[in-house]
Amino acid sequence: MKVHDILHNKEKKVNFLWILYGLVLVILFLVSSTDLIIKEETAKIYPISVVIGDVSDENYVNFRKGMERAAMEFNGDISFITLYEKGSAAQQKELMLREQEDGSRALIVAPVDAGMAAGMQQDNLLTVPVVFINTEKEKVEGLNNMAVLTFDYHAMGCRMGERILEEHPGEDKVYLLEGEKMNEVDMLFAQGVRDTLSVKGWTVFLIESAGENDWAQGLEEAVLIAPNPESLLRAAQFLVEDEQSKEKVKGLYGRGSTVPLLNYLDKGIIQGLCVTDDFSCGYLSVKTALELAEHRPVEEMGYLESYDIGREDLRNEKYEKILFPIE
């Protein structure tokens, strides 16, 4: 065989090997990056509806951040539903049934009326799992296909009462703002404050307020407590604008974790705040809802942690992580 023929055959073999190598690379690419050969399993997405009892969700900012983090990690699709009319149990019931009918695989509910919500499950109106948040444990515990994530609001009020006793040893009376539509959480917190202060001989004056600042009329020097974030914010804003009333209020206290309330705490308008770890509550509520939707066992959480803080605590790293969580 001539040298020319040998070289020609060798060149053909080399070209064939390069072509074969190229085909192998194409096949490997298809296997690794497309589903033309091996079809990837599509992650199952679970729609979850969150039905709260307020017309505004501004008190749920950190809670929502926690929900979104959990939804991203556990393949949930969150819909956040607020009432058109604050405190309407009938409207909340209607929305819960609507979301179930529209295909929600689980509900997360901050009930206006825990007894009504529990009754819906007992009457088999709800066929999807429900996670209750921010409510009385005793009214919703023991039902099938449900879980409770909440804080001990009565104990929270007791701690706030103890803080007031410590910071105002010379006082003996407190004004407790009671809104027109106090929900169960508000009443539990207020009862904790009353229980702690009354046993020490303090006089607790209940002031009904329909959202205006009529409580300031005839106000004597005393401590002022607001049992919910909305009434606390209104009181703080009013004291900033009305210097005469501000001089009579020896201390303003309440609960809530919104940025405006934290700013008023930082400015010294509010002296004490009860705050909750809303990010963790939101995260755990979605995680629990998905576990229930997948018929997996759910761990009993007990009461989630809450704290009472003063102005000096705002720079504490522990509370910064709770109050200003990174998404």
Side-chain angles (χ1 to χ4, degrees):
M1 183 178 290
K2 295 181 180 181
V3 174
H4 176 269
D5 292 335
I6 294 173
L7 292 176
H8 178 69
N9 290 336
K10 187 174 182 181
E11 184 179 350
K12 287 173 65 178
K13 290 181 180 178
V14 171
N15 290 337
F16 175 77
L17 289 174
W18 276 111
I19 292 171
L20 182 63
Y21 179 67
L23 287 173
V24 170
L25 288 178
V26 170
I27 292 172
L28 290 175
F29 172 78
L30 291 172
V31 170
S32 63
S33 62
T34 75
D35 58 358
L36 293 176
I37 296 176
I38 299 177
K39 190 173 181 65
E40 292 184 4
E41 185 178 349
T42 303
K44 192 171 184 179
I45 304 297
Y46 289 91
I48 298 174
S49 296
V50 185
V51 187
I52 63 172
D54 204 342
V55 292
S56 169
D57 64 354
E58 63 182 10
N59 294 319
Y60 290 84
V61 173
N62 288 343
F63 178 78
R64 191 164 189 161
K65 289 180 181 179
M67 286 196 305
E68 290 170 350
R69 172 72 65 80
M72 181 177 63
E73 292 183 12
F74 303 112
N75 301 321
D77 181 18
I78 306 298
S79 297
F80 209 71
I81 315 296
T82 56
L83 302 187
Y84 307 115
E85 179 185 351
K86 180 179 180 180
S88 173
Q91 188 180 95
Q92 188 174 56
K93 178 179 180 180
E94 178 185 334
L95 290 173
M96 290 167 67
L97 294 175
R98 184 197 72 183
E99 292 302 305
Q100 176 180 258
E101 186 177 345
D102 288 347
S104 180
R105 294 293 303 275
L107 300 177
I108 298 173
V109 181
V112 173
D113 182 345
M116 179 275 292
M120 290 176 67
Q121 271 215 327
Q122 291 173 330
D123 296 337
N124 296 320
L125 294 177
L126 295 174
T127 57
V128 298
V130 182
V131 177
F132 291 105
I133 60 170
N134 295 344
T135 189
E136 292 185 72
K137 262 181 172 290
E138 294 75 13
K139 290 189 176 182
V140 293
E141 278 185 319
L143 298 175
N144 294 325
N145 211 24
M146 57 79 62
V148 187
L149 290 171
T150 191
F151 303 91
D152 192 337
Y153 288 99
H154 182 268
M156 197 184 301
C158 290
R159 289 203 309 273
M160 183 55 71
E162 292 168 358
R163 185 183 190 98
I164 291 169
L165 289 171
E166 181 180 340
E167 295 182 355
H168 300 275
E171 301 293 330
D172 61 358
K173 58 186 174 184
V174 61
Y175 290 99
L176 182 62
L177 289 177
E178 291 201 334
E180 184 180 27
K181 291 186 177 180
M182 293 267 287
N183 61 32
E184 294 170 344
V185 167
D186 301 338
M187 290 186 285
L188 284 169
F189 179 81
Q191 187 61 50
V193 173
R194 284 197 296 266
D195 290 345
T196 301
L197 295 180
S198 297
V199 77
K200 296 296 183 180
W202 279 51
T203 302
V204 180
F205 296 95
L206 305 181
I207 305 177
E208 293 187 5
S209 174
E212 303 298 330
N213 294 311
D214 49 355
W215 53 265
Q217 298 178 7
L219 185 69
E220 299 178 6
E221 292 188 354
V223 174
L224 185 64
I225 302 177
N228 59 54
E230 294 82 10
S231 58
L232 179 59
L233 181 60
R234 287 196 302 268
Q237 291 170 336
F238 178 71
L239 294 182
V240 169
E241 299 168 358
D242 191 304
E243 191 65 31
Q244 185 176 1
S245 295
K246 182 181 177 182
E247 292 178 356
K248 293 181 180 180
V249 175
K250 299 300 184 183
L252 175 61
Y253 298 83
R255 67 177 186 87
S257 308
T258 64
V259 172
L261 292 179
L262 296 173
N263 287 338
Y264 280 123
L265 180 66
D266 195 27
K267 294 175 182 177
I269 304 301
I270 297 174
Q271 280 67 51
L273 266 179
C274 281
V275 298
T276 51
D277 186 353
D278 296 336
F279 182 91
S280 294
C281 184
Y283 182 93
L284 290 171
S285 67
V286 170
K287 179 177 180 291
T288 302
L290 290 171
E291 288 172 342
L292 288 171
E294 294 177 339
H295 307 290
R296 288 187 282 142
V298 174
E299 180 183 356
E300 170 59 43
M301 299 292 179
Y303 284 114
L304 302 180
E305 288 190 290
S306 62
Y307 313 88
D308 63 285
I309 64 172
R311 183 180 185 180
E312 68 281 359
D313 297 312
L314 287 174
R315 274 58 179 180
N316 185 310
E317 184 178 353
K318 171 185 176 181
Y319 300 118
E320 281 185 339
K321 290 180 179 179
I322 294 171
L323 299 171
F324 308 104
I326 299 174
E327 297 183 59

